[in-house]
Amino acid sequence: ANNWNNKWNQTADLTVPTSGANHYTVKEGTWDKGGGTWSKIAKTFGISYALTNVTSSNTAAEIQEGTAYTTTLKAKAAYALPAAVSVSVGGTALTAGYTYDQKTGALTVDAASVTGDLVITAVADAYTYLKPNANWLKDGARFAVYCFGNGEKWVDMTDEDKDGYYEVVLPAGFPNIIFCRMNPGAAANNWNNKWNQTGDLK
């Protein structure tokens, strides 16, 4: 039974801190009512990943409260890193308190934002590729794709890894496209700056 007759030693009367401190340490060498100190032991939260065609360099399953979370996301082959990712803490999506760089895949959740279980969500976008023939590669041509059938939109194509295949993430909602060989001396994508084109493609 817990009662004063069965008590061997005790602290002094203590006031529960309002600062968030949750850990009381009895001063070494004392028995009764010796001075102690309050401190805080950080909570531990879970980390889960909802990644589609993306991998994370950080695969930790837990994180301590008040600790920044960092990782580098990488798209699988034939996919591009998403323009944005979703970070939720304790079931609520963050609108601030984290940074994401689409070019490098670097993701950091600020230490102050780590107050609950983290869920990192990222969905990579599939590339569509164009392999120009020798004629299309002449004269330093650049390449773009015209999307239509639900409005219209032009999108630049790039060959960042220099393998001869030009890639693009097609915007959603356009059922038809035309690949175009463009004038490299004109930055704007329009029909006046088009040199050559494919037929209408689905």
Side-chain angles (χ1 to χ4, degrees):
N2 293 321
N3 55 49
W4 294 112
N5 292 329
N6 294 332
K7 178 215 76 174
W8 277 356
N9 303 95
Q10 68 176 82
T11 66
D13 295 354
L14 303 174
T15 300
V16 177
T18 58
S19 62
N22 58 5
H23 172 216
Y24 185 80
T25 300
V26 178
K27 184 178 179 181
E28 195 63 38
T30 63
W31 288 99
D32 278 302
K33 302 184 179 181
T37 55
W38 284 100
S39 61
K40 183 176 181 178
I41 294 179
K43 298 177 183 178
T44 298
F45 301 116
I47 308 174
S48 58
Y49 304 87
L51 306 178
T52 304
N53 297 311
V54 179
T55 59
S56 171
S57 65
N58 187 340
T59 57
E62 293 183 337
I63 189 170
Q64 279 199 326
E65 179 182 18
T67 301
Y69 170 87
T70 60
T71 190
T72 300
L73 301 179
K74 182 179 180 182
K76 294 183 179 180
Y79 289 86
L81 284 170
V85 301
S86 172
V87 179
S88 69
V89 176
T92 301
L94 293 183
T95 57
Y98 73 97
T99 58
Y100 168 66
D101 186 329
Q102 181 186 12
K103 188 171 181 64
T104 65
L107 170 65
T108 299
V109 181
D110 299 343
S113 297
V114 181
T115 57
D117 292 338
L118 292 182
V119 179
I120 311 298
T121 304
V123 180
D125 298 310
Y127 277 129
T128 297
Y129 295 93
L130 170 71
K131 181 68 167 70
N133 63 19
N135 289 337
W136 273 37
L137 290 171
K138 291 179 179 178
D139 303 318
R142 62 183 184 84
F143 300 93
V145 61
Y146 173 73
C147 308
F148 65 103
N150 184 24
E152 59 179 1
K153 186 172 185 177
W154 287 89
V155 185
D156 285 322
M157 303 193 72
T158 60
D159 181 15
E160 293 188 5
D161 57 5
K162 307 302 181 186
D163 64 353
Y165 292 85
Y166 287 77
E167 60 261 4
V168 65
V169 174
L170 293 175
F174 295 92
N176 307 307
I177 63 171
I178 299 172
F179 292 112
C180 297
R181 176 174 179 256
M182 308 298 292
N183 180 353
N189 291 323
N190 55 48
W191 294 112
N192 292 330
N193 296 332
K194 179 217 73 175
W195 279 351
N196 302 97
Q197 68 178 75
T198 65
D200 295 358
L201 304 174
K202 293 290 186 183

